[in-house]
Amino acid sequence: MARELDQDELIDHWTLVGDEPELIVGKRGATRLGFAILLRFYTEHGRFPRGRAEIPDEAIEYVARQVDVERTEIAFYDWSGRTIEYHRAQIRKALGFRECTVADADELTWWLVDHVTQLERSGERVREHLLSECRRRKFEPPTAGRIDRIVRSALSRGEDVLFDRVLSRLPTAVVAKLVALVAPAGEEAGELEDGSAVLASIRSDPGNVSLNTMLTEIAKLEAVRGIGVPGEVFADIAPKIVIGWRRRAAVESPSHLRDHPLRVQLTLLAALLHCRCREITDTLVELLNSTVHRINARAEVRVTNELIKEFKRVTGKENLLFRVAEATVDAGDQLVRDTVYPVASQATLLFSYEYNRNRSNVKTSRALALLKYSCR
């Protein structure tokens, strides 16, 4: 169903302009109104409407006022038959358009292959480019089914061109290693004695942050680099296309990859290794950063604990030790509790002794010896 239009849209898209009013001269009633609507629709969309349902009621009323015909007359316009075919031919001739022939469709397909499908793999986007090119060449677009066939054919041919391009850039030695990645068990050749295991390892995700994970990722990176896919293989191929191939290779089993034609199989595997080399490198950088952060976090905890211990130290302990030592030396035969405890309580002396028992402070070593004697 056609959507509602506002006044600006009516003026922009449904106003008869230029020589268009002259084309409806001599027509009356439903024929006059129907022709005017076909003309404006074709001018805006590059094709004819499929029926009355594509024409908004507001547009019919707006055009009817311009051609001085009652809007209800549209109910008498025949959307199939000789009259509408004659109107279509008149409009094509007036606007310089023509119907798209088989030869035109084949030409459009190859135009899409050369200019669109090697960069764009979305069917909807390819369709938009096709319709735009039809308007530029003043071709009336083919039917919807034929457009779908053109788009599918162009996508297939465009990808074939890319497959051939990638295959031509792969050295023979690299081709042998790529084939070995998906070879059945017992048939691996060259340096890859267990190609399926290597492929599984390359496709696997990294584990938690640890030294073992880093070593595993380094081994993956060495395996990818060992196969030796040249970096310039995908130099002029759109990154989103390479990523699409990488995703296909990541989810297909080795047996499914083997079922593809050789050029497809090699392209998918090369794209996987090309992307994984960068991804694994990024993973290693992230693991290194995470490891450094973890070391810093542990160091902060350790330093914090040391600071807490320092805060718990007895304030002015060195002075206190010297005071205890002096009191002990000058006391002579007096009792310890009468000489030392007035200077420092027994609990304070025991805490200070336990904290500094294993510390080597040359400045206070003699005072500590006296402190130990006093605590007995």
Side-chain angles (χ1 to χ4, degrees):
M1 178 178 290
R3 66 181 182 85
E4 295 183 0
L5 303 177
D6 58 33
Q7 190 64 28
D8 290 337
E9 289 178 304
L10 288 173
I11 294 173
D12 291 341
H13 304 306
W14 293 95
T15 302
L16 294 171
V17 295
D19 298 333
E20 292 177 353
E22 298 178 5
L23 296 175
I24 64 174
V25 173
K27 296 179 173 57
R28 298 180 180 179
T31 301
R32 183 182 181 91
L33 179 56
F35 184 90
I37 289 173
L38 288 180
L39 177 61
R40 288 309 309 154
F41 191 97
Y42 196 92
T43 301
E44 292 298 323
H45 299 278
R47 64 175 180 85
F48 292 110
R50 300 181 182 90
R52 165 67 179 84
E54 283 197 89
I55 312 298
D57 293 337
E58 298 87 353
I60 293 175
E61 184 173 357
Y62 182 73
V63 174
R65 290 200 302 269
Q66 296 179 69
V67 299
D68 196 22
V69 174
E70 290 292 332
R71 62 183 181 84
T72 56
E73 290 290 325
I74 195 64
F76 301 101
Y77 187 74
D78 188 3
W79 294 92
S80 63
R82 296 177 58 184
T83 300
I84 194 171
E85 289 298 330
Y86 177 65
H87 287 175
R88 288 173 177 171
Q90 281 186 294
I91 292 171
R92 291 190 192 103
K93 183 178 179 180
L95 299 179
F97 278 72
R98 63 181 176 83
E99 293 185 88
C100 183
T101 64
V102 174
D104 293 333
D106 192 52
E107 186 178 344
L108 286 170
T109 300
W110 283 111
W111 179 85
L112 290 173
V113 171
D114 294 336
H115 298 90
V116 179
T117 57
Q118 294 183 41
L119 301 173
E120 179 62 64
R121 303 302 300 169
S122 167
E124 190 59 34
R125 292 287 299 148
V126 174
R127 176 190 291 270
E128 292 175 3
H129 283 284
L130 173 60
L131 294 177
S132 176
E133 184 64 12
C134 284
R135 295 202 65 177
R136 190 187 71 81
R137 300 189 185 195
K138 292 196 171 182
F139 293 164
E140 183 179 328
T143 62
R146 194 173 178 189
I147 288 178
D148 290 339
R149 290 193 294 273
I150 293 174
V151 169
R152 287 196 299 268
S153 178
L155 286 170
S156 177
R157 295 180 188 181
E159 193 168 46
D160 286 342
V161 172
L162 295 178
F163 288 152
D164 290 336
R165 187 183 304 170
V166 172
L167 182 59
S168 66
R169 296 173 177 176
L170 291 174
T172 304
V174 174
V175 170
K177 293 178 181 179
L178 291 174
V179 171
L181 285 175
V182 294
E187 296 184 14
E188 293 84 357
E191 299 179 11
L192 299 179
E193 297 182 356
D194 191 356
S196 58
V198 174
L199 179 62
S201 174
I202 291 173
R203 296 198 292 192
S204 63
D205 295 326
N208 297 327
V209 178
S210 67
L211 177 60
N212 289 335
T213 299
M214 292 189 67
L215 295 176
T216 301
E217 294 303 304
I218 290 173
K220 289 182 190 178
L221 186 59
E222 291 176 347
V224 171
R225 291 178 174 175
I227 294 175
V229 175
E232 62 273 11
V233 168
F234 303 102
D236 55 351
I237 299 177
K240 60 183 177 182
I241 294 179
V242 179
I243 293 174
W245 289 337
R246 176 247 185 273
R247 289 172 179 167
R248 288 176 59 183
V251 298
E252 292 188 8
S253 65
S255 61
H256 288 157
L257 289 170
R258 287 196 301 270
D259 290 339
H260 292 302
L262 182 61
R263 61 180 182 174
V264 179
Q265 176 188 137
L266 295 176
T267 299
L268 296 181
L269 289 172
L272 174 66
L273 297 180
H274 177 78
C275 294
R276 286 298 288 152
C277 183
R278 299 182 178 184
E279 293 167 0
I280 295 171
T281 302
D282 292 342
T283 298
L284 283 170
V285 172
E286 292 176 1
L287 286 172
L288 180 59
N289 289 335
S290 298
T291 301
V292 171
H293 289 320
R294 178 171 291 188
I295 292 173
N296 288 339
R298 290 180 176 177
E300 289 178 0
V301 172
R302 184 173 181 180
V303 169
T304 301
N305 291 335
E306 291 293 331
L307 289 174
I308 291 174
K309 291 180 181 179
E310 289 292 333
F311 289 145
K312 290 181 178 180
R313 292 179 58 188
V314 178
T315 303
K317 181 173 67 61
E318 285 77 8
N319 293 332
L320 179 62
L321 291 175
F322 281 111
R323 287 170 56 194
V324 170
E326 291 174 356
T328 304
V329 171
D330 297 338
D333 294 333
Q334 294 183 17
L335 296 175
V336 171
R337 64 174 176 270
D338 297 331
T339 303
V340 177
Y341 290 168
V343 178
S345 67
Q346 186 178 16
T348 300
L349 293 173
L350 288 173
F351 177 84
S352 299
Y353 170 71
E354 291 296 334
Y355 178 80
N356 292 280
R357 181 172 54 181
N358 297 322
R359 298 173 65 91
S360 55
N361 190 330
V362 177
K363 183 178 179 181
T364 60
S365 59
R366 292 182 180 178
L368 287 174
L370 291 172
L371 177 61
K372 181 178 180 181
Y373 176 79
S374 301
C375 292
R376 291 178 178 178

